[in-house]
Amino acid sequence: MRFYKHIMQSSCWGVRCAALCLSFLFITGVQLRPLGEQEKRMQLEAVKRGILDRLGLHRPPVIREKLNQDEVRNMYLLYQEKLTELRGNMSKEESPQRIVHLLTPKLERNTMSKRKCEKQGNNNHIYHLVFSRTHTFHQELSVMRAELKLCKDILAALRSSWTDSTAQAMVNIYKVVKSSETNGEEEHKLLDSKPIDKETLTLNVESAVQQWVSSSEKCLRLALVIPLDIPFASDGSKQTEGDDALILEVETQEKVHSSSRKARALPADEECKKSEKKCCRKSLSVSFKEIGWSDWIIAPESYTMHFCVGSCPHNYKAASMHTQIKSRMHHISNGATPAPCCVPASYEPMVLMHYNTEGKLTLSPFEDLIVRKCHCA
């Protein structure tokens, strides 16, 4: 009982209770030894009680009349769809987070030579858009999408100012690069070209932004060629027509390294070794037939439940910076501050197809039952 009270008083207990019916498992499964029959029965009783509590049942329902095979078969299809949906959601959560950056440019007057300017058309005006790097743009980002957006006011002005009925008004965007020629002139590489016949207009500049993000260049320089004279502040510090007249919208995500992919793909590496005493994942097989529930739980027939056991020495599998500080405080305070606990880091979803108290076949998702990985928190 002293050990049980010590756990109840620990600050880690709240985290442990988040995992379904793991309280008994932590008490009875601390020692890494072959399970005795009595210990396994205690663990299975904890599992049974936890599942009944989650389903809002005091005892297993009494099934008086089962559904016919066609009804069961249709429910199986729904069961597979729900399980696929939950696993898809889990994959999305594990994917690197995507962030959308909104950048506004500084506008500079055209520096092209008159000859190059004439090649763009007599009615065209050329502006340099200078985007500055922010602290969120680092070299470990992958650019998923990068679009330069023109606001509706500019597009309306473009359409109203275009008087040439024989040609279609176009908006072009170029990447400005240094020339290898000795004359020092800049080169302009076309990135995208769109007509101004729509209410919204976006120009694809993904290739240029990707190169910029992965480089050490402080600024990205683009050249916008449009048949409209855009007024702007004399110092060129701001756009006109409002701060959102021209917006560079960039969607990025962190690059996924092969080691991270391997860690997610091989959760079995978390399994406890025979001599392992540090935080790891221990397994418990649950067969609904063996525990006498196969009459009301149709699928799955069995599953492997994992739980987290073991010690958390300093900086071992630390879940966060907070965990590292907590571990250091534990040592400094000679145990007055609780040490980090070995707890679940992620879960595998499971769906129960079962009869309810009304004799109807139903689906109950469990998203926090099967532990995939453990860490110290």
Side-chain angles (χ1 to χ4, degrees), residues 276-329:
E276 182 65 74
K277 294 183 180 180
K278 296 179 182 179
C279 180
C280 57
R281 191 181 70 166
K282 198 173 181 181
S283 299
L284 173 66
S285 297
V286 179
S287 168
F288 292 117
K289 183 178 181 180
E290 289 182 5
I291 64 177
W293 281 8
S294 59
D295 61 329
W296 69 282
I297 292 184
I298 309 304
E301 295 181 355
S302 63
Y303 74 97
T304 300
M305 178 179 179
H306 308 282
F307 53 98
C308 301
V309 296
S311 62
C312 287
H314 181 59
N315 280 350
Y316 183 75
K317 289 187 179 180
S320 61
M321 185 66 181
H322 176 270
T323 302
Q324 297 177 19
I325 296 174
K326 183 179 179 182
S327 177
R328 191 173 297 277
M329 289 176 63

Side-chain angles (χ1 to χ4, degrees), residues 218-233:
K218 293 183 178 180
C219 296
L220 170 67
R221 298 176 66 87
L222 303 178
L224 179 67
V225 180
I226 57 176
L228 177 68
D229 185 9
I230 302 178
F232 54 92

Side-chain angles (χ1 to χ4, degrees), residues 2 74 222 234 254 307 331 348 369:
R2 289 181 180 177
N74 291 334
L222 303 178
S234 58
E254 296 284 345
F307 53 98
H331 288 285
E348 177 94 17
L369 176 60

Side-chain angles (χ1 to χ4, degrees), residues 80 82-92 348-349:
Q80 292 294 341
K82 186 63 177 178
L83 191 57
T84 301
E85 176 190 344
L86 292 178
R87 286 173 176 169
N89 293 338
M90 183 184 69
S91 299
K92 290 178 182 178
E348 177 94 17

Side-chain angles (χ1 to χ4, degrees), residues 133 137-139 141-143 146 175-177 189-191 205-222 250 255:
R133 186 185 292 272
F137 269 71
H138 52 81
Q139 295 179 336
L141 290 176
S142 293
V143 176
K175 179 184 178 183
V176 181
V177 295
K189 295 184 177 180
L190 182 64
L191 297 172
V205 293
E206 182 178 327
S207 60
V209 174
Q210 179 66 75
Q211 293 174 11
W212 177 45
V213 170
S214 60
S215 72
S216 59
E217 294 292 331
K218 293 183 178 180
C219 296
L220 170 67
R221 298 176 66 87
L222 303 178
V250 184
K255 291 181 180 178

Side-chain angles (χ1 to χ4, degrees), residues 172-183:
N172 301 324
I173 189 72
Y174 296 80
K175 179 184 178 183
V176 181
V177 295
K178 292 182 179 180
S179 174
S180 57
E181 300 175 2
T182 56
N183 56 17

Side-chain angles (χ1 to χ4, degrees), residues 45-163:
E45 284 301 317
V47 172
K48 291 165 67 175
R49 187 71 263 164
I51 291 176
L52 289 174
D53 288 345
R54 174 65 72 88
L55 297 177
L57 302 174
H58 296 292
R59 62 184 62 86
V62 178
I63 309 303
R64 294 180 174 84
E65 183 179 353
K66 293 188 176 182
L67 300 179
N68 60 48
Q69 289 301 312
D70 289 338
E71 292 172 316
V72 173
R73 192 178 298 108
N74 291 334
M75 185 57 75
Y76 258 112
L77 295 176
L78 296 176
Y79 167 81
Q80 292 294 341
E81 288 178 4
K82 186 63 177 178
L83 191 57
T84 301
E85 176 190 344
L86 292 178
R87 286 173 176 169
N89 293 338
M90 183 184 69
S91 299
K92 290 178 182 178
E93 290 175 1
E94 289 186 344
S95 299
Q97 183 182 6
R98 292 195 177 192
I99 300 175
V100 176
H101 311 262
L102 300 178
L103 305 178
T104 55
K106 175 182 175 182
L107 270 67
E108 294 180 354
R109 288 291 187 185
N110 163 58
T111 57
M112 280 187 179
S113 66
K114 183 177 180 181
R115 177 177 57 83
K116 287 188 176 182
C117 212
E118 288 174 352
K119 290 176 66 177
Q120 300 296 334
N122 294 330
N123 295 326
N124 283 329
H125 299 267
I126 306 173
Y127 303 93
H128 277 179
L129 314 181
V130 182
F131 297 92
S132 299
R133 186 185 292 272
T134 66
H135 70 279
T136 58
F137 269 71
H138 52 81
Q139 295 179 336
E140 290 301 313
L141 290 176
S142 293
V143 176
M144 314 306 295
R145 176 176 58 85
E147 297 173 332
L148 182 67
K149 297 188 175 184
L150 279 68
C151 75
K152 292 182 179 180
D153 291 340
I154 285 186
L155 291 174
L158 283 170
R159 286 192 293 269
S160 62
S161 65
W162 186 253
T163 57

